[in-house]
Amino acid sequence: MNRIPTILGVAGGLVGLYIGYFLTIGLAFATVFAARSFMDPSVTSVIKLGFLAILLPVLGILGGALASYSLRLAGIFMLTSCIGSSLINALAISMIDRLNSSWIISFIFFVAEILCLAIGGILALRTSRKQPITSNITPSQA
């Protein structure tokens, strides 16, 4: 049962890394050409947003990798990555909309990332509660 949160966490994180790369490179160049200056505050905010969009999916991938060791910690990592990524993606969609670009394709990837991380995190937390606590000590050793 630990394979599903692992697969969903890693898949959501990889899609998120693709989106983060798109935000960092694509939107930075678009805002530089629109602002005509690299030191414009809108350009630096897009670059900061892009770096956050790269770091949060790494947390999701880490959560997916930890699912075979600690389901509770993996679920917390994946849900934190999901919530943070959804906030950053909402800001990115508003920036893309201001640049008069097409945001439908980006929105599809955003939804895929958020769904994978949310379902993986919820499954990891739910299965961590169902696992009984076992002991290696037999009654004759006690």
Side-chain angles (χ1 to χ4, degrees):
M1 189 65 181
N2 294 349
R3 290 184 183 175
I4 295 173
T6 300
I7 292 170
L8 288 174
V10 170
L14 290 176
V15 170
L17 280 176
Y18 173 74
I19 293 170
Y21 176 76
F22 169 73
L23 283 177
T24 305
I25 302 300
L27 284 178
F29 283 131
T31 52
V32 164
F33 290 129
R36 306 217 192 273
S37 170
F38 190 71
M39 298 309 292
D40 192 350
S42 63
V43 176
T44 56
S45 65
V46 166
I47 292 173
K48 289 175 188 175
L49 186 74
F51 283 124
L52 275 177
I54 288 174
L55 290 178
L56 282 171
V58 171
L59 187 65
I61 292 173
L62 183 65
L66 285 175
S68 57
Y69 300 107
S70 173
L71 283 171
R72 184 177 305 260
L73 188 62
I76 291 170
F77 279 2
M78 284 188 268
L79 287 177
T80 303
S81 176
C82 173
I83 292 168
S85 294
S86 63
L87 293 174
I88 287 176
N89 294 339
L91 287 172
I93 286 178
S94 69
M95 287 185 177
I96 292 171
D97 195 32
R98 273 190 261 147
L99 293 171
N100 296 326
S101 300
S102 176
W103 54 270
I104 300 297
I105 295 173
S106 303
F107 184 72
I108 292 170
F109 284 113
F110 294 156
V111 170
E113 173 196 9
I114 291 167
L115 283 178
C116 284
L117 288 172
I119 293 171
I122 290 170
L123 282 176
L125 287 176
R126 287 198 59 182
T127 54
S128 70
R129 292 183 187 162
K130 291 183 181 178
Q131 290 180 344
I133 298 173
T134 59
S135 175
N136 293 334
I137 300 174
T138 60
S140 62
Q141 293 176 343

